[in-house]
Amino acid sequence: MTLFSKGQKTDSLFQKKAVSKTDIQIVYSQYIQNGNNSAVTGGIGTELLHVYAPGAKISRTFKGYHQLNVDFGVDIISSASTDNIDFVVSSASALDQRVHINANYKKQLKRSPVKLGIGTGFSIESDYLSIPVMLSWEYAEPSQNRSYQAVFQAFFDDLRWGRLNPDYYRPVTLIYPVELRYKDWYEGYTRNSYNLKLGFTQVINRRLIAGFFPEFTYQNGLLATPFHRVYFKDGSEKVEFFPGERYKIPLSFQLNYFLGSRMILKGIYGFYWDNFGILANSLELEDAIKITPQFTLSPFLRVYQQSASKYFKPYQEHDIHEQFYTSDYDLSKFQSYKTGLNFRLLPAKRHKNHLIFEEINLRYSYYHRSNNLNSHILSLVLDFSSPDKYK
């Protein structure tokens, strides 16, 4: 909605603006999933999963030219699916945690509409460590009618288990299904991902804004999940196996239309291709309806369809002589939809020790996939700000 915000021209003799400011965002989300095509057990079995994810983001702006952003959180994961790695109900694999923190710094160049950024961080689970690196460039024309952006991201992942185990606290080994631990199925244990995202937005007229966002992703290393089983026609069993390289090309087109003071329509079309054989299309619609000046209601709907990867087959349908194979239904042919509501409330601003309560966002969505995977997602976001001084 901020794409349509236009301020009044200020008096040339006096302008009141925040020179230094801190924004604080507190987030809590909950994800509940169920289905019957777990890749851990070869494409059959429970996919029951619960994720509880508290987090926060702090953004500090200095003198209008410098911005430091830090976000961090913890995901508490309860999974009946990964519990089946050991075939032991309520084993240690049933509960996992992920801790993540990211920081980035952006600088607005003086006497220039260019903004540059750099960032890094880490994400860690019992069987996973990821180190990201980010570089960004943004440019907006002085008229604000056209803008460009480019973001480069690199992720360096180590998939060995043991960092959060009190007996080790260090990376030890890849985790395979319990009955397949008689040998090492993979030579390497790292995965590298490189992503370039470009963006272009254009104001068409006073009511319409268009955007185009192409991406390119390249991955190499261990791209399979070590504890995913695959069962073959002859009854034999192996660990999921993929090529060592993957290319992805997502494209998205966005149109925002301002219907008036009370309604904004947003439409996004997405296209996706990768060298694993997946071709996908998506369409997302959202309608922001301002019920009162303080309360906005936004219903949304996203529909999606994809073709199957050339490496996917269901339980016991792979031939033993195939070079690459998976029974992960994320790579199958399916259709899905996600629908829900977002509630946005701008409360009367209350000052307490210079802390201002800005807004509340409550969002619920329901997801359904054609293979009967279903999920519920609930998220709550509280925004605060603290301007330091004015001039």
Side-chain angles (χ1 to χ4, degrees):
M1 292 180 65
T2 57
L3 292 173
F4 298 95
S5 301
K6 294 187 178 296
Q8 301 297 319
K9 291 186 178 180
T10 57
D11 192 306
S12 60
L13 299 178
F14 176 80
Q15 182 178 3
K16 182 180 180 181
K17 68 175 184 178
V19 177
S20 297
K21 180 183 178 183
T22 302
D23 294 310
I24 302 171
Q25 190 176 83
I26 299 174
V27 181
Y28 175 78
S29 62
Q30 186 167 329
Y31 177 85
I32 302 173
Q33 168 191 291
N34 205 354
N36 294 291
N37 295 112
S38 172
V40 174
T41 45
I44 59 174
T46 179
E47 295 177 271
L48 185 63
L49 174 71
H50 296 258
V51 181
Y52 310 93
K57 178 178 180 180
I58 301 173
S59 178
R60 174 72 173 170
T61 302
F62 303 90
K63 299 183 179 180
Y65 291 100
H66 308 271
Q67 186 180 70
L68 178 63
N69 303 300
V70 179
D71 66 85
F72 53 90
V74 178
D75 298 345
I76 302 169
I77 306 162
S78 175
S79 173
S81 174
T82 56
D83 194 25
N84 287 320
I85 296 171
D86 294 328
F87 287 129
V88 178
V89 177
S90 300
S91 66
S93 60
L95 186 66
D96 202 356
Q97 300 84 35
R98 182 176 79 99
V99 178
H100 58 92
I101 182 169
N102 291 283
N104 66 78
Y105 167 75
K106 293 184 178 181
K107 180 178 180 180
Q108 175 79 51
L109 301 183
K110 293 184 178 181
R111 302 183 184 88
S112 171
V114 173
K115 183 182 289 187
L116 302 177
I118 185 171
T120 187
F122 72 88
S123 175
I124 184 171
E125 294 183 42
S126 60
D127 60 346
Y128 172 89
L129 174 67
S130 179
I131 305 294
V133 176
M134 184 273 291
L135 299 171
S136 67
W137 172 88
E138 300 173 37
Y139 171 80
E141 293 185 348
S143 66
Q144 301 297 310
N145 287 332
R146 185 177 297 167
S147 66
Y148 307 85
Q149 69 176 23
V151 179
F152 172 77
Q153 295 171 303
F155 299 88
F156 304 101
D157 305 337
D158 186 325
L159 305 181
R160 289 176 294 175
W161 169 88
R163 292 178 182 85
L164 301 182
N165 187 287
D167 294 331
Y168 299 99
Y169 286 124
R170 61 183 176 84
V172 178
T173 183
L174 294 173
I175 290 295
Y176 300 118
V178 63
E179 73 278 17
L180 296 174
R181 294 174 187 169
Y182 57 86
K183 74 170 188 175
D184 289 328
W185 292 86
Y186 306 110
E187 294 181 358
Y189 51 81
T190 61
R191 175 176 58 219
N192 302 321
S193 304
Y194 307 93
N195 183 68
L196 177 64
K197 181 176 181 178
L198 305 177
F200 168 73
T201 61
Q202 172 70 57
V203 177
I204 307 299
N205 53 48
R206 295 181 64 182
R207 293 182 176 272
L208 184 64
I209 294 179
F212 175 53
F213 305 95
E215 293 184 53
F216 176 76
T217 298
Y218 169 71
Q219 295 179 296
N220 62 26
L222 177 52
L223 304 186
T225 302
F227 49 80
H228 283 182
R229 295 173 172 87
V230 176
Y231 294 92
F232 293 84
K233 292 179 179 178
D234 63 357
S236 61
E237 178 186 355
K238 294 183 181 181
V239 173
E240 176 182 82
F241 194 68
F242 286 145
E245 293 183 316
R246 189 176 185 180
Y247 305 89
K248 305 177 183 180
I249 300 180
L251 305 172
S252 64
F253 304 85
Q254 180 172 335
L255 287 175
N256 288 5
Y257 187 72
F258 181 51
L259 286 175
S261 61
R262 292 185 177 272
M263 189 174 295
I264 296 173
L265 295 175
K266 180 174 74 174
I268 302 174
Y269 166 73
F271 170 83
Y272 173 89
W273 172 91
D274 70 21
N275 66 321
F276 278 23
I278 295 178
L279 191 67
N281 294 273
S282 65
L283 180 64
E284 183 173 352
L285 300 173
E286 184 169 348
D287 185 7
I289 307 167
K290 185 177 288 189
I291 307 300
T292 69
Q294 290 77 34
F295 179 62
T296 302
L297 180 65
S298 302
F300 58 89
L301 172 67
R302 182 178 187 267
V303 292
Y304 174 87
Q305 67 84 27
Q306 75 171 37
S307 62
S309 167
K310 55 189 173 183
Y311 308 129
F312 170 83
K313 286 182 182 177
Y315 178 79
Q316 286 193 332
E317 292 191 17
H318 278 287
D319 188 275
I320 192 63
H321 300 294
E322 293 176 9
Q323 184 178 6
F324 304 112
Y325 35 83
T326 180
S327 293
D328 184 351
Y329 272 73
D330 287 347
L331 280 73
S332 69
K333 179 181 179 179
F334 67 84
Q335 298 80 42
S336 69
Y337 70 85
K338 182 170 71 172
T339 185
L341 286 171
N342 187 84
F343 303 87
R344 180 172 181 258
L345 178 64
L346 305 177
K349 294 187 177 181
R350 299 183 181 274
H351 298 251
K352 185 176 181 180
N353 298 326
H354 304 290
L355 190 65
I356 303 173
F357 189 13
E358 295 281 359
E359 68 176 73
I360 303 171
N361 275 278
L362 179 64
R363 188 178 184 91
Y364 167 78
S365 59
Y366 171 75
Y367 174 82
H368 174 78
R369 206 156 75 178
S370 53
N371 66 325
N372 290 321
L373 176 72
N374 303 295
S375 65
H376 303 269
I377 308 105
L378 182 67
S379 61
L380 174 66
V381 180
L382 305 177
D383 281 330
F384 302 85
S385 69
S386 177
D388 291 343
K389 53 187 177 180
Y390 296 87
K391 73 174 184 180

